[in-house]
Structures are given as structure tokens and as C-alpha cells.
Amino acid sequence: MDINTLSILIFLLLAAGMAYIVWQIQEFKNKPKNSDSDKIFLEMMENLRREVHDSSSKTRLEMQTQLEKVNDQLFKGLSESGKTIQTQFKHSQDTIKELTERLTKLDETNKQVMGFTEQMKSLEKILSSQKQRGILGEIMLETLLGNILPPDQYQIQYPFENGEKVDAVIYFKDRIIPIDAKFSLENYNK
């Protein structure tokens, strides 16, 4: 048995014993008084009743003390549990915040990848036509020459005397270097 159950059982036995003693005293008082032995018995019973009453008071104090100890332990346990829950909640909040930031960055990266994918699809559309590949090659050639050479050292769409044209020429000393801009789809795919 645990201590609480034992304390309650002792208290009930003492209460029952006290009730029995009070009943005996009442019975004895109702009887005619014959002798000194009856008075002595009556005093003994009264003393016994007082002792039982005093011991039940002690038992109540002990039970109250034990209940206060249990209450203190419960309060400490609840306080520690509350602190633990708060710590775990803060950790969960930090984790959720970090995950949200990461997901936001991932979403931005995903949007960039999707934009790049759309650009690649547009480029593939452009490159599917031979004429468009040629135009793209000429534009790239003109941009490249414009970035590297001064304007008087090259010419775009240079016509020869026989009527043929090249995409560009570079003037080098007294010579002309013809350049034809070809965009090889096979090389691009590789």
C-alpha cells in the first residue's frame, strides 16, 4: 500500500475507535452510578478518547504535510514541463523560420530556372530555322567585330565586284579578309 492509502486507513480506524469510545461513555453515563470503579472506568475512557483525538490530529497534520509535499512536487514538475515546452516551441519557431527562408530562396531559384528554360525554348525556336540561324550569326559577328575593332577596320555585308556578298570583311593593311557568319546547328547541339 502506498502512504496515502495507509494514512487514510489509519485515520478511519482511529475515527471508528473514537466513535466506539464515545458511545461507551454515553452508555456508561446513562447507567446508574454505583461505585468508584465506575468513576475510574469513566476517567479511563475519557483519557482514551482524548488520546485518540490527539493522535488523529497528529495524523491529520502528517497527511496535510504529505499533501503539501506532493503539491510542491507537482508544481515543480509542471513548472519544469512548462519551461521545456517553451524551449521546444522556440526551437520549432526557429526551425520553421529557417525553413521558410530556405523555401523562399528555393522559390526564387526555381523562378530563375524557369525563366532560363523559357529563354532556352525561345532560342531553340530561333535556331530551328536555317535563315534565323544565319541572321543570329550575322548579329553576333557584327557585335563581336564592333566590340573588338574600330569602325574603319571592318565592314558588314561587303559586296565583291562579281556580285557576291560576304557577311563581313576586315581591312588588314592593304588586304581584305572576308568572313562568312555560319551558325552550325550540329555544333551547337554538341
Side-chain angles (χ1 to χ4, degrees), residues 2 20 40 57 69 73 79 83-84 98 104 109-110 114 117 125 142 144-145 149 154 164:
D2 67 344
Y20 178 74
I40 293 171
S57 295
K69 286 180 182 177
Q73 289 175 346
S79 177
K83 288 176 184 176
T84 301
E98 184 180 333
T104 301
T109 303
N110 190 30
M114 293 303 290
T117 302
K125 265 182 153 177
E142 184 175 356
L144 181 66
L145 292 174
L149 300 172
Y154 72 94
E164 287 188 39

mmCIF file of all heavy atoms in Angstrom, residues 2 20 40 57 69 73 79 83-84 98 104 109-110 114 117 125 142 144-145 149 154 164:
data_model
loop_
_atom_site.group_PDB
_atom_site.id
_atom_site.type_symbol
_atom_site.label_atom_id
_atom_site.label_comp_id
_atom_site.label_asym_id
_atom_site.label_seq_id
_atom_site.Cartn_x
_atom_site.Cartn_y
_atom_site.Cartn_z
ATOM 1 N N ASP A 2 0.405 2.248 -0.657
ATOM 2 C CA ASP A 2 1.161 3.489 -0.618
ATOM 3 C C ASP A 2 0.827 4.264 0.651
ATOM 4 O O ASP A 2 -0.121 3.947 1.373
ATOM 5 C CB ASP A 2 0.920 4.325 -1.872
ATOM 6 C CG ASP A 2 -0.490 4.864 -1.972
ATOM 7 O OD1 ASP A 2 -1.374 4.366 -1.253
ATOM 8 O OD2 ASP A 2 -0.705 5.796 -2.771
ATOM 9 N N TYR A 20 -16.565 4.579 18.892
ATOM 10 C CA TYR A 20 -16.905 3.497 19.820
ATOM 11 C C TYR A 20 -16.714 3.932 21.276
ATOM 12 O O TYR A 20 -17.547 3.650 22.139
ATOM 13 C CB TYR A 20 -16.054 2.259 19.504
ATOM 14 C CG TYR A 20 -16.320 1.113 20.467
ATOM 15 C CD1 TYR A 20 -17.501 0.369 20.375
ATOM 16 C CD2 TYR A 20 -15.412 0.787 21.467
ATOM 17 C CE1 TYR A 20 -17.748 -0.662 21.249
ATOM 18 C CE2 TYR A 20 -15.647 -0.244 22.351
ATOM 19 C CZ TYR A 20 -16.817 -0.968 22.236
ATOM 20 O OH TYR A 20 -17.069 -1.974 23.115
ATOM 21 N N ILE A 40 -13.629 5.456 37.891
ATOM 22 C CA ILE A 40 -12.285 5.201 37.338
ATOM 23 C C ILE A 40 -12.399 4.755 35.891
ATOM 24 O O ILE A 40 -11.664 5.207 35.018
ATOM 25 C CB ILE A 40 -11.537 4.156 38.191
ATOM 26 C CG1 ILE A 40 -11.250 4.725 39.553
ATOM 27 C CG2 ILE A 40 -10.259 3.712 37.497
ATOM 28 C CD1 ILE A 40 -10.710 3.711 40.535
ATOM 29 N N SER A 57 -5.351 14.073 15.361
ATOM 30 C CA SER A 57 -4.874 15.409 14.972
ATOM 31 C C SER A 57 -3.468 15.312 14.403
ATOM 32 O O SER A 57 -3.145 15.960 13.408
ATOM 33 C CB SER A 57 -4.879 16.351 16.173
ATOM 34 O OG SER A 57 -6.184 16.581 16.632
ATOM 35 N N LYS A 69 3.726 18.417 0.397
ATOM 36 C CA LYS A 69 4.917 17.950 -0.322
ATOM 37 C C LYS A 69 4.548 17.510 -1.746
ATOM 38 O O LYS A 69 5.232 17.840 -2.713
ATOM 39 C CB LYS A 69 5.585 16.783 0.419
ATOM 40 C CG LYS A 69 6.328 17.193 1.658
ATOM 41 C CD LYS A 69 6.947 15.985 2.335
ATOM 42 C CE LYS A 69 7.658 16.353 3.623
ATOM 43 N NZ LYS A 69 8.195 15.176 4.312
ATOM 44 N N GLN A 73 5.798 19.118 -5.255
ATOM 45 C CA GLN A 73 6.420 18.319 -6.315
ATOM 46 C C GLN A 73 5.660 18.478 -7.636
ATOM 47 O O GLN A 73 6.272 18.603 -8.697
ATOM 48 C CB GLN A 73 6.478 16.843 -5.914
ATOM 49 C CG GLN A 73 7.484 16.553 -4.828
ATOM 50 C CD GLN A 73 7.435 15.106 -4.359
ATOM 51 O OE1 GLN A 73 6.494 14.381 -4.658
ATOM 52 N NE2 GLN A 73 8.450 14.704 -3.614
ATOM 53 N N SER A 79 6.114 23.288 -13.598
ATOM 54 C CA SER A 79 6.958 24.429 -13.958
ATOM 55 C C SER A 79 8.065 23.992 -14.915
ATOM 56 O O SER A 79 8.325 24.657 -15.928
ATOM 57 C CB SER A 79 7.551 25.043 -12.695
ATOM 58 O OG SER A 79 8.408 26.101 -13.009
ATOM 59 N N LYS A 83 8.651 25.053 -18.878
ATOM 60 C CA LYS A 83 9.902 25.583 -19.414
ATOM 61 C C LYS A 83 10.367 24.741 -20.604
ATOM 62 O O LYS A 83 10.822 25.277 -21.612
ATOM 63 C CB LYS A 83 10.987 25.607 -18.335
ATOM 64 C CG LYS A 83 10.759 26.672 -17.280
ATOM 65 C CD LYS A 83 11.808 26.594 -16.185
ATOM 66 C CE LYS A 83 11.533 27.586 -15.067
ATOM 67 N NZ LYS A 83 12.485 27.461 -13.963
ATOM 68 N N THR A 84 10.259 23.438 -20.472
ATOM 69 C CA THR A 84 10.664 22.541 -21.556
ATOM 70 C C THR A 84 9.801 22.786 -22.800
ATOM 71 O O THR A 84 10.325 22.863 -23.910
ATOM 72 C CB THR A 84 10.530 21.065 -21.111
ATOM 73 O OG1 THR A 84 11.345 20.855 -19.957
ATOM 74 C CG2 THR A 84 10.954 20.117 -22.211
ATOM 75 N N GLU A 98 13.609 29.233 -40.410
ATOM 76 C CA GLU A 98 14.718 28.853 -41.292
ATOM 77 C C GLU A 98 14.195 28.137 -42.540
ATOM 78 O O GLU A 98 14.643 28.415 -43.657
ATOM 79 C CB GLU A 98 15.691 27.951 -40.531
ATOM 80 C CG GLU A 98 16.919 27.568 -41.321
ATOM 81 C CD GLU A 98 17.859 26.665 -40.539
ATOM 82 O OE1 GLU A 98 17.865 26.734 -39.296
ATOM 83 O OE2 GLU A 98 18.583 25.895 -41.175
ATOM 84 N N THR A 104 11.803 30.184 -49.574
ATOM 85 C CA THR A 104 11.715 31.423 -50.346
ATOM 86 C C THR A 104 12.876 31.505 -51.329
ATOM 87 O O THR A 104 12.680 31.830 -52.505
ATOM 88 C CB THR A 104 11.734 32.643 -49.397
ATOM 89 O OG1 THR A 104 10.633 32.533 -48.486
ATOM 90 C CG2 THR A 104 11.630 33.942 -50.164
ATOM 91 N N THR A 109 15.052 30.753 -56.848
ATOM 92 C CA THR A 109 15.922 29.994 -57.748
ATOM 93 C C THR A 109 15.092 29.265 -58.797
ATOM 94 O O THR A 109 15.442 29.240 -59.980
ATOM 95 C CB THR A 109 16.771 28.991 -56.951
ATOM 96 O OG1 THR A 109 17.519 29.696 -55.961
ATOM 97 C CG2 THR A 109 17.709 28.210 -57.833
ATOM 98 N N ASN A 110 13.991 28.694 -58.373
ATOM 99 C CA ASN A 110 13.102 27.979 -59.289
ATOM 100 C C ASN A 110 12.557 28.923 -60.363
ATOM 101 O O ASN A 110 12.482 28.555 -61.541
ATOM 102 C CB ASN A 110 11.955 27.331 -58.505
ATOM 103 C CG ASN A 110 11.141 26.382 -59.354
ATOM 104 O OD1 ASN A 110 11.647 25.777 -60.280
ATOM 105 N ND2 ASN A 110 9.867 26.272 -59.045
ATOM 106 N N MET A 114 13.131 28.616 -64.308
ATOM 107 C CA MET A 114 12.003 28.597 -65.243
ATOM 108 C C MET A 114 12.185 29.677 -66.310
ATOM 109 O O MET A 114 11.908 29.443 -67.493
ATOM 110 C CB MET A 114 10.675 28.801 -64.501
ATOM 111 C CG MET A 114 10.309 27.645 -63.575
ATOM 112 S SD MET A 114 10.206 26.058 -64.412
ATOM 113 C CE MET A 114 8.753 26.298 -65.375
ATOM 114 N N THR A 117 14.748 28.465 -68.671
ATOM 115 C CA THR A 117 14.161 27.417 -69.512
ATOM 116 C C THR A 117 13.348 28.040 -70.650
ATOM 117 O O THR A 117 13.434 27.584 -71.800
ATOM 118 C CB THR A 117 13.271 26.482 -68.665
ATOM 119 O OG1 THR A 117 14.054 25.922 -67.613
ATOM 120 C CG2 THR A 117 12.659 25.376 -69.488
ATOM 121 N N LYS A 125 13.689 27.718 -80.719
ATOM 122 C CA LYS A 125 12.767 28.073 -81.794
ATOM 123 C C LYS A 125 13.495 28.867 -82.874
ATOM 124 O O LYS A 125 13.326 28.625 -84.070
ATOM 125 C CB LYS A 125 11.608 28.921 -81.243
ATOM 126 C CG LYS A 125 10.395 28.191 -80.879
ATOM 127 C CD LYS A 125 9.370 29.203 -80.414
ATOM 128 C CE LYS A 125 7.989 28.704 -80.631
ATOM 129 N NZ LYS A 125 6.997 29.649 -80.126
ATOM 130 N N GLU A 142 28.605 40.900 -86.101
ATOM 131 C CA GLU A 142 28.666 42.363 -86.077
ATOM 132 C C GLU A 142 28.953 42.862 -84.661
ATOM 133 O O GLU A 142 29.772 43.767 -84.469
ATOM 134 C CB GLU A 142 27.348 42.950 -86.586
ATOM 135 C CG GLU A 142 27.370 44.458 -86.682
ATOM 136 C CD GLU A 142 26.096 45.023 -87.301
ATOM 137 O OE1 GLU A 142 25.219 44.249 -87.721
ATOM 138 O OE2 GLU A 142 26.007 46.256 -87.377
ATOM 139 N N LEU A 144 30.495 41.251 -82.242
ATOM 140 C CA LEU A 144 31.871 40.870 -81.913
ATOM 141 C C LEU A 144 32.878 41.820 -82.561
ATOM 142 O O LEU A 144 33.784 42.326 -81.901
ATOM 143 C CB LEU A 144 32.132 39.428 -82.352
ATOM 144 C CG LEU A 144 33.511 38.860 -82.056
ATOM 145 C CD1 LEU A 144 33.735 38.737 -80.560
ATOM 146 C CD2 LEU A 144 33.675 37.505 -82.719
ATOM 147 N N LEU A 145 32.689 42.080 -83.853
ATOM 148 C CA LEU A 145 33.602 42.986 -84.555
ATOM 149 C C LEU A 145 33.528 44.398 -83.966
ATOM 150 O O LEU A 145 34.543 45.069 -83.807
ATOM 151 C CB LEU A 145 33.309 43.009 -86.057
ATOM 152 C CG LEU A 145 33.631 41.714 -86.817
ATOM 153 C CD1 LEU A 145 33.168 41.817 -88.269
ATOM 154 C CD2 LEU A 145 35.115 41.392 -86.756
ATOM 155 N N LEU A 149 37.062 45.769 -82.861
ATOM 156 C CA LEU A 149 37.745 46.620 -83.860
ATOM 157 C C LEU A 149 37.099 48.006 -83.950
ATOM 158 O O LEU A 149 35.887 48.145 -83.732
ATOM 159 C CB LEU A 149 37.694 45.947 -85.232
ATOM 160 C CG LEU A 149 38.358 44.573 -85.354
ATOM 161 C CD1 LEU A 149 38.049 43.977 -86.718
ATOM 162 C CD2 LEU A 149 39.853 44.674 -85.147
ATOM 163 N N TYR A 154 36.565 47.383 -90.309
ATOM 164 C CA TYR A 154 35.698 46.294 -90.764
ATOM 165 C C TYR A 154 34.480 46.886 -91.472
ATOM 166 O O TYR A 154 34.172 48.071 -91.337
ATOM 167 C CB TYR A 154 35.264 45.383 -89.599
ATOM 168 C CG TYR A 154 34.263 46.004 -88.653
ATOM 169 C CD1 TYR A 154 32.906 45.794 -88.831
ATOM 170 C CD2 TYR A 154 34.678 46.799 -87.588
ATOM 171 C CE1 TYR A 154 31.981 46.367 -87.974
ATOM 172 C CE2 TYR A 154 33.758 47.354 -86.723
ATOM 173 C CZ TYR A 154 32.411 47.134 -86.921
ATOM 174 O OH TYR A 154 31.500 47.698 -86.077
ATOM 175 N N GLU A 164 28.897 38.859 -105.563
ATOM 176 C CA GLU A 164 28.705 38.082 -104.336
ATOM 177 C C GLU A 164 28.908 38.983 -103.121
ATOM 178 O O GLU A 164 29.654 39.959 -103.165
ATOM 179 C CB GLU A 164 29.711 36.924 -104.273
ATOM 180 C CG GLU A 164 29.391 35.814 -105.239
ATOM 181 C CD GLU A 164 30.285 34.608 -105.012
ATOM 182 O OE1 GLU A 164 30.572 34.280 -103.832
ATOM 183 O OE2 GLU A 164 30.699 34.000 -106.008
#
